[in-house]
């Protein structure tokens, strides 16, 4: 089947919001200024786990310049229930509890009270006057710790969901699920070689540039107006309404520009608090987090403890795979081990599989999505074991994966069967890449590869398109633009309309001004909102054909359109010519599109990493790095490449440096961007990219979301490269210099094999 | 035919923007604040007519705090052409010339240059340093003056359009048109009584509370962003684009709330100037007019000189009517005499008619629309003559009008034939009103009646509607809400959807976020944008029926909906229940509607005025006043009544007080609201209202626009009342105390008939 030819899709126009972003004119949440606006400050727990005996806000309320103080007691106490807020189902009590602690604090940084004052300094000073009496409790900081029989119980009321059904098991495990396919014992019995390893990963933060913020005005007419930086304005609307016990239409959210999110700007922390402060004061209230707040009180990715056991025959065919995944939920039950269980073996076509997942509450911030949540952890484990198997069997690691690669029709252990996917094509592209074809030379150097998978979630999106008399169109959408989606969505409309990408003016509007649109997350925006734009553009084209038919006094069915030209018989008219004549043919033309795709495709990505390990310091240098990913169809290749590079870099950060350094008392000791070490441009080579295009049969242009799969394999690829460079395999992330030195010098380590840097 | 029953239409819900308006939270143009914003000031001509010999901006540019100065020379000099900017066709040169004078100033207040500075005081101070050398010229201030052979020629290049065709006639007449029906000579020959009178009306201003303003940012990406108070954001977009020689889509206009307009906020004065200052400075620039600027440099209604001659038989049947209408255009050719010619005899079913109209440029501000532009002038003349005829023939003035009233099928002299109209019904309602049935008693008192007509213009409007999960909907529209149209439009959507008016959240958005929508003017918004909302709601209902059918596993054609309940067989579901289930039936539901109605109906209004004239001072007191108007179908009766009261009060202002007092040099001597006397609540009784409903066959709910017809008859009704009170008929507006005293005491005056107030 030949690929369709496109005029706009696949080109690289300048993004519509580019000028505003590079010149500083784009308005972010912290830029919001309203008449009479107050500033809020949130008092946070100094303890990782403690009972709140008393909160006295008297002195704070009396402090000059303070207009209001709120605690959890100020919020409606509606009965608990499960709410689906577009990011999975969550008990309302967890959302509320995480927003402002009630009875207990469950992590250091847990919000306790908030102050609104004439400026942020007064608010901060007043917050320090709030008296809180705590009874400190022992804390559990990792999944293995929290799963111990003698672990402190974090939630008295938590009932474990054991294999889908609630049990009375006490403790900190919120859920245990198991995916079974085939007969795992039979599978291992068929293996010639079995590798079983345990892995740990640290808590890692998304590290978006812009801290969370929210400005709220509880208006005189009873509506709550919110301005904030969020991945999903409608999620903020619905969560805030839920917490405040209002109908969703009583909340209006105006999304500002966003300085990164990576999943971490889906949860709602500040908005209902700012709203309640506004209700008490009658004035708008703005709250902006500090970087310390961001680290300590938003949602990082789970630390995890995993065991992966894989058996293979000598010919390289995997016979069985088993995984044990214990993921930190953070302070409230989480959802991240779920996708870890769905992706841990998703890249392989396996007959016998068992996967056990445990969602474990610990005294750390409640985890949130972080770019393919759960999958990088799981891939670190799986892809390390696969590498070891290939190595021990003497098979090229890409060939080994090709022998076992998932393909159309492969049924995953968690149930679904793949439609057309690009796993094999990604592996082939890795194999044929300039990078992989170039031998790696030099001492202390190694090359690693790894493979990863992530979904496209579908979820609802809405768009409208209006035609301008100058032959351009305005496109209205509700998707936060993080990585250039204004343009990638506009391009899909432009393709249908036969006009240039620049002739589409996309606008991201508030929740009052567009149909429901779910979060920018799950690699869904270019995919699903792009599809909504496609539908809106089709709706426009149907109407424009009618208009052309009217002018030509013919039937609309006889009007054809291609490449921006309408034709009927030997008559033709350009899009712009027709757009100029709408007034005389019935008035404005407005199209609308709304979609809710289900059962859509996913994307595979592969990483190739060349590293050099310094035997004297343990420092690992990334020499060369290539990301290969199946984009289905790359709408705007530059932004696909940008996603691939960004995900790769974040994965490298996970691999080598990033982690929450926790004290035994549960305090994060490195909650600044000086001490929490993310890779900078000086740490990295240019990340090479190779876009594979295996069109998604579940999208009109074949798009696969590309935002996430690229972060899945890098940590494993780097771990495999470090192993091949240094001769030691590390089983814990990050593989920072101390960890590498420890591995090199431990009994049985391979320090002697390394070549000194300065011989 | 029985009237349909409605659940929402005809009720009186609280307006959606009410709380914001009464608590001061609504954002008006002058409230706009942007980072780095500069303030602009416009230098204006002190001469009514002068040649500009030299402009030297050097000192102003050098003044500390000044960032830029612009004159007409800074704007593109694209060739002149006729542009249709939604308010009629105008030469681009006139729009440009009125915005910033080039070569000559044509009226006092004419803009010459503009300064952008760090604050408005610096800008004003710097503007005073701009050196302009003028060669003053003689000026012509009224139509008769300007039509004299020896009048100064205001536009050297003006070529008169004589009866539709350009001629070489020099002078100040821009256009002469003539409408002829039947044989006027024959008609007058059949008359038993002929009355012919000359009338004059003064220049009158709309007197909106909020002065004009504009903030503009010429953005780094080349787009011009504008925030302003306007009756039509798309008009501002298109005019600004035209003046700046940009495609319309390069300009984005965000309309703020508006503090009144009445037609005067359709023209564009400041926006392109602010934009050019922004281009020069790279920063946003705000310009706000003073009240003096508003009076001297925006668009008042034309002063006019008219002759009306009507002949009637003894039985009260009019045999012929002739009008001569010479209207001041102001400094640039205007359009107001056009509708005067179309309405001057529109209330009557006449056989023989001739109407001559003259559009005359004078050295006063370029006129703009003011609520039924041209019609109050014309009605003052016609209805005075009709009153005199009725009086002389001894026929009750309402009965006289009923004998001659226009009805379905009546063809106007300007061509169009009336569809179903409510002229007779309005007259009947006047006759049967409590007011008219109550005899007027007391000395120096008189009662007058008058009749008036105004159109519904159609023009394009667009809406979209999105369904919320809580059973409410969001409605997006592009119509400036002046008199409660958010609500009157929302109610029409609510009626279709079967939900409450409060369950519709209407939002007026910027020009990027909704389909083209013409001005709020021409009594069109509730009519046309309401219709667009009706269409969008129908689009929603079609989709919702499909969703219900999906849930019920039946065909959409079998699903019925009424009163917010969907039914198929014995199954039923409320709107809110279905709205909560969109996720499972295909995703969001968005509806769109766009209309461009043509050949639509109009509205008749009648005034009954009781006055008392103080014989010692000439002051006229309005004792009682009733407005009767055909609303077709009153969507929100309170707002219909509000329009009727507002129009009546403005008409009373025209009648008794309002006028531009001009010096011989063309300076307005009363350019403040202290000296320009508008009626206040202390001057007026409660205006009684009577809504007549003769459904408009050209609208789905029968709506007729009601914003304007109510201002047409009051001046004539008051004049007739004054005549009956004081025994003297006045032929010039305003009929202020000096004018009345002069009439009373002139030779042949009736001062002796009046009863002294303090006998």
């Amino acid at each position: 089947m030949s690929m369709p030819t496109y005029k706009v899709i696949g080109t690289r126009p300048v993004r519509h919001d580019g000028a505003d972003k590079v010149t500083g004119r784009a308005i972010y949440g912290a830029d919001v200024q309203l008449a009479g606006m107050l500033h809020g400050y949130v008092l946070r727990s100094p303890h990782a786990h403690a009972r709140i005996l008393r909160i006295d806000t008297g002195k704070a309320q009396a402090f000059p310049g303070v207009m209001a103080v709120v605690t959890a007691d100020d919020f409606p106490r509606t009965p608990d229930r499960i709410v689906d807020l577009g990011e999975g189902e969550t008990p309302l009590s967890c959302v509320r509890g995480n927003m402002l602690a009630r009875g207990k604090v469950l992590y250091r940084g847990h919000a306790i009270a908030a102050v609104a004052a004439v400026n942020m300094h007064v608010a901060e000073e007043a917050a320090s006057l709030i008296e809180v009496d705590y009874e400190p409790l022992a804390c559990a900081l990792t999944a293995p710790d929290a799963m111990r029989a003698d672990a402190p119980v974090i939630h008295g009321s938590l009932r474990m969901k054991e294999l889908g059904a609630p049990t009375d098991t006490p403790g900190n495990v919120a859920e245990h699920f198991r995916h079974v396919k085939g007969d795992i014992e039979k599978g291992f019995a068929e293996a010639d070689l079995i590798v079983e390893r345990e892995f740990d990963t640290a808590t890692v933060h998304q590290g978006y540039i812009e801290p969370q913020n929210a400005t709220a005005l509880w208006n005189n007419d009873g509506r709550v107006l919110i301005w904030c930086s969020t991945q999903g304005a409608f999620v903020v609307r619905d969560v805030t309404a839920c917490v405040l016990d209002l109908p969703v239409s009583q909340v209006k959210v105006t999304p500002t520009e966003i300085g990164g999110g990576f999943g971490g700007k889906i949860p709602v922390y500040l908005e209902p608090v700012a709203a309640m402060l506004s209700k008490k004061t009658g004035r708008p209230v703005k709250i902006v987090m500090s970087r310390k707040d961001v680290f300590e009180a938003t949602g990082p990715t789970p630390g995890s403890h995993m065991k992966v056991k894989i058996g293979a025959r000598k010919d390289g065919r995997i016979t069985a795979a088993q995984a044990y995944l214990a993921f930190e939920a953070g302070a409230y039950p989480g959802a991240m081990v779920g996708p870890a269980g769905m992706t841990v073996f998703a890249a392989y076509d396996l007959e016998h599989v068992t996967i056990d997942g445990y969602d474990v509450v610990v005294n750390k911030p409640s985890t949130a999505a972080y770019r393919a949540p759960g999958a990088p952890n799981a891939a670190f484990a799986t892809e390390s074991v696969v590498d070891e198997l290939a190595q021990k069997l003497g098979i090229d690691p890409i060939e080994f994966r090709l022998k076992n690669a998932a393909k159309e029709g492969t049924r995953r252990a968690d149930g679904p069967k793949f439609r057309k996917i690009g796993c094999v094509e990604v592996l082939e592209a890795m194999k044929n890449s300039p990078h992989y074809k170039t031998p790696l030379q030099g001492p202390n150097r190694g090359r690693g590869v790894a493979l990863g998978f992530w979904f496209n979630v579908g979820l609802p999106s809405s768009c409208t398109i209006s035609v301008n008399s100058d032959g351009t169109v305005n496109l209205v959408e509700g998707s936060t633009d993080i990585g250039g989606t204004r343009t990638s969505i506009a391009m899909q409309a432009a393709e249908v309309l036969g006009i240039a990408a620049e002739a589409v003016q996309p606008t991201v509007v508030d929740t009052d001004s567009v149909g429901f649109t779910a979060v920018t997350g799950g690699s869904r925006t270019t995919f699903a909102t792009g599809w909504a734009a496609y539908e809106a553009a089709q709706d426009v084209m149907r109407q424009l054909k009618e208009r052309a038919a009217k002018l030509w006094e013919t039937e609309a069915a006889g009007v054809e359109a291609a490449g921006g030209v309408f034709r009927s018989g030997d008559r033709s008219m350009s899009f712009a010519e027709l757009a100029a004549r709408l007034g005389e043919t019935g008035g404005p033309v407005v199209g609308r599109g709304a979609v809710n795709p289900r059962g859509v495709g996913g994307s595979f990505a592969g990483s190739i990493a060349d590293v050099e390990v310094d035997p004297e310091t343990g420092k690992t240098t990334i020499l060369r790095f290539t990301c290969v990913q199946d984009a289905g169809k790359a709408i705007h290749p530059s932004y696909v490449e940008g996603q691939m590079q960004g995900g790769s870099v974040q994965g490298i950060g996970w691999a080598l440096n990033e982690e929450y350094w926790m004290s035994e008392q549960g305090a994060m000791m490195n909650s600044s961007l000086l001490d929490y070490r993310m890779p900078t441009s000086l740490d990295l080579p240019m990340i090479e990219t190779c876009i594979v295009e295996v069109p998604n049969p579940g999208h009109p242009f074949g798009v696969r979301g590309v935002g996430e799969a690229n972060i899945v394999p890098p940590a494993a690829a780097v771990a495999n490269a470090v192993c091949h460079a240094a001769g030691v395999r590390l089983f814990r992330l990050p593989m920072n210099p101390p960890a590498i030195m420890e591995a090199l010098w431990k009994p049985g380590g391979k320090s002697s094999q390394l070549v000194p840097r300065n011989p």
Side-chain angles (χ1 to χ4, degrees), chain A:
Chain A
M1 190 185 77
S2 68
M3 291 283 278
T5 47
Y6 297 120
K7 289 183 76 170
V8 177
I9 287 174
T11 65
R12 300 170 186 251
V14 171
R15 64 192 286 170
H16 296 79
D17 53 329
D20 273 356
K21 294 276 172 71
V22 300
T23 59
R25 280 222 168 111
I27 300 292
Y28 291 82
D31 297 328
V32 170
Q33 299 291 345
L34 300 174
M37 191 174 76
L38 301 173
H39 296 264
Y41 184 87
V42 177
L43 178 70
R44 300 186 178 280
S45 169
H47 300 286
H49 195 194
R51 212 174 308 282
I52 299 172
L53 302 177
R54 186 183 71 101
I55 303 177
D56 185 343
T57 62
K59 286 183 188 164
Q61 283 180 313
F63 193 75
V66 169
M67 309 301 281
V69 181
V70 296
T71 67
D73 287 342
D74 289 296
F75 286 77
R77 280 180 177 274
T78 47
D80 196 16
R81 60 193 169 98
I82 301 297
V83 288
D84 181 356
L85 299 169
E87 48 166 330
E89 298 193 334
T90 315
L92 175 57
S93 60
C94 293
V95 176
R96 289 196 299 218
N98 196 33
M99 198 186 62
L100 276 177
R102 192 171 291 202
K104 273 174 81 175
V105 289
L106 305 183
Y107 58 96
R108 182 183 153 115
H110 201 160
I112 291 168
V115 178
V118 293
N119 67 47
M120 67 183 80
H121 309 293
V122 169
E124 183 172 357
E125 181 72 18
S128 72
L129 300 176
I130 296 174
E131 293 168 7
V132 188
D133 292 346
Y134 298 99
E135 177 194 338
L137 302 169
C139 61
L141 297 175
T142 66
D145 280 356
M147 292 171 87
R148 284 206 316 268
D150 62 348
V153 174
I154 296 170
H155 290 272
S157 60
L158 188 66
R159 283 160 58 88
M160 175 179 175
K161 227 162 49 175
E162 171 70 49
L163 301 181
T167 74
D168 285 330
T169 310
N172 295 317
V173 177
E175 181 176 8
H176 168 214
F177 65 77
R178 179 176 294 159
H179 302 308
V180 176
K181 179 184 177 189
D183 178 343
I184 194 73
E185 298 306 329
K186 182 162 175 285
F188 282 122
E190 291 171 4
D192 296 316
L193 174 66
I194 293 174
V195 172
E196 178 175 11
R197 298 292 185 194
E198 292 194 28
F199 299 87
D200 289 279
T201 69
T203 300
V204 175
H205 199 274
Q206 297 86 351
Y208 35 78
I209 296 173
E210 179 209 25
Q212 263 87 351
N213 55 75
T215 305
L217 171 62
W218 200 306
N219 205 10
N220 301 298
D221 58 4
R223 295 192 87 209
V224 176
L225 313 181
I226 290 171
W227 296 257
C228 64
S229 167
T230 175
Q231 290 180 238
F234 283 91
V235 172
V236 175
R237 182 190 75 162
D238 292 1
V239 171
T240 302
C242 207
V243 168
L244 299 176
D245 198 26
L246 297 172
V248 295
S249 58
Q250 286 299 93
V251 179
K252 172 186 177 181
V253 177
T254 305
T256 60
E257 294 298 332
I258 188 168
F262 309 108
K265 287 205 187 128
I266 299 172
V268 171
Y269 303 102
L270 301 174
E271 288 81 353
V273 178
M276 193 54 77
L277 287 169
S278 177
K279 188 180 191 184
K280 280 198 163 185
T281 59
R283 291 164 65 170
V285 177
K286 177 161 76 173
I287 310 179
V288 181
M289 284 195 185
S290 67
R291 179 61 55 182
K292 187 168 155 59
D293 292 342
V294 168
F295 274 119
E296 295 190 358
T298 65
T301 206
S304 54
H305 178 71
M306 300 170 288
K307 295 177 208 170
V308 165
K309 179 180 175 184
I310 303 179
R313 290 197 303 256
K314 281 178 187 161
D315 64 1
R317 183 73 190 126
I318 296 175
T319 60
Q322 185 170 8
Y324 165 96
L325 308 168
F327 274 50
E328 300 167 11
Y332 294 92
M336 305 315 151
V337 70
M342 293 154 80
T343 57
V344 60
F345 298 132
Y348 301 106
D349 185 26
L350 306 176
E351 204 176 339
H352 304 295
V353 184
T354 297
I355 301 162
D356 281 276
Y358 295 85
D359 184 42
V360 188
V361 293
V362 297
N363 292 117
K364 288 204 279 201
S366 200
T367 57
Y370 175 8
R371 205 169 195 158
N377 314 42
F380 169 54
T382 299
E383 294 295 292
S384 291
V385 171
V386 164
D387 193 69
E388 191 171 342
L389 281 165
Q391 190 181 12
K392 288 184 170 162
L393 291 170
I395 301 173
D396 172 87
I398 295 181
E399 291 297 343
F400 182 90
R401 287 171 172 85
L402 275 168
K403 286 177 193 289
N404 296 287
K407 50 191 180 293
E408 187 169 2
T410 294
R411 183 174 290 285
R412 297 201 313 260
D414 56 309
K417 193 151 68 169
F418 280 123
R419 295 172 73 183
K420 182 76 187 155
I421 51 173
C423 185
V424 167
E425 288 81 353
V426 164
L427 286 164
E428 295 284 357
M430 290 169 73
K431 197 170 72 175
N432 296 324
S433 67
H435 184 167
Y436 203 70
K437 285 182 162 174
T438 307
L440 177 64
Q441 294 173 330
N444 309 330
R445 293 181 167 187
R447 171 171 294 167
V449 300
L451 189 59
F453 169 73
W454 187 253
F455 314 91
N456 260 185
V457 306
L459 301 181
S461 281
S462 310
C463 283
T464 58
I465 294 177
S466 311
V467 181
N468 290 317
S469 58
D470 62 4
T472 65
V473 303
N474 294 332
L475 186 157
V476 172
E477 44 155 321
S479 285
T480 301
D481 180 355
I482 307 183
T485 52
R486 281 185 182 85
T487 304
S488 66
I489 293 163
M491 289 171 75
Q492 295 177 63
E495 188 70 48
V496 174
L497 300 172
I499 60 179
E502 295 80 1
V504 180
Q505 178 65 43
T507 306
V508 179
V509 298
D510 61 62
T511 55
D512 277 4
S513 307
V514 67
F516 187 88
T517 299
V519 293
T520 290
S523 296
R524 66 173 292 280
T525 302
T526 297
F527 169 81
T529 309
W531 194 342
Y534 169 93
E535 295 294 344
Q538 294 285 3
D539 191 22
V540 165
M541 289 302 277
R542 273 189 296 276
Q543 296 173 67
L544 288 181
K545 286 178 185 172
E546 287 166 12
R547 300 305 178 89
K550 200 166 182 179
L551 287 170
W552 289 331
E553 294 175 350
T554 179
E555 293 299 313
V559 176
E560 294 186 344
V565 179
F566 295 84
R567 289 180 208 281
S568 173
D570 55 359
R571 288 166 299 193
S572 73
M573 192 184 294
S574 73
F575 186 93
E577 286 166 342
L578 185 52
R581 298 184 68 181
L582 299 185
E584 63 189 282
T585 55
V589 165
V590 180
R592 41 94 178 146
V595 299
N596 190 20
R598 307 245 166 172
V600 294
S603 173
F604 286 85
S607 300
I608 309 170
D610 292 354
V611 306
E612 180 174 324
V613 177
D614 184 332
E616 290 172 1
T617 63
K619 178 175 190 290
T620 300
T621 300
I622 306 287
L623 300 171
R624 186 172 182 179
F625 195 100
T626 296
C627 176
V628 178
Q629 185 170 354
D630 176 16
K633 176 65 202 173
I635 298 295
H636 192 306
S638 296
Y639 302 157
V640 174
E641 291 159 3
Q643 290 293 330
M644 292 163 74
Q645 292 170 321
S648 297
V649 169
Q650 288 189 316
I652 290 167
W654 286 48
L656 297 179
N657 291 100
E658 296 185 42
E659 69 178 311
Y660 275 42
W661 286 3
M662 304 301 291
S663 75
E664 285 185 7
Q665 289 74 38
M668 182 182 183
M669 305 306 286
N670 61 332
S671 55
S672 83
L673 289 179
L674 276 177
D675 297 322
Y676 180 94
R677 183 71 165 85
M678 294 199 294
T680 71
S681 60
L682 298 178
D683 298 315
L684 297 162
M686 178 69 184
I687 306 294
E688 295 167 47
T689 56
C690 170
I691 300 173
V692 170
E693 293 188 326
V694 178
N696 177 2
H699 185 275
F701 292 125
V703 169
R704 298 179 192 272
V706 295
E708 293 167 287
N710 39 60
I711 200 181
V712 180
V718 172
N720 295 337
V722 166
C723 176
H724 303 312
V728 291
R729 188 168 287 282
L730 275 73
F731 302 103
R732 185 184 184 284
L733 297 182
M735 302 173 288
N736 55 20
I740 286 179
M741 291 308 288
E742 192 178 313
L744 286 176
W745 290 100
K746 78 176 174 189
K750 304 295 175 68
S751 66
S752 58
Q753 296 179 3
L754 291 168
V755 181
R757 199 166 51 169
N758 301 311

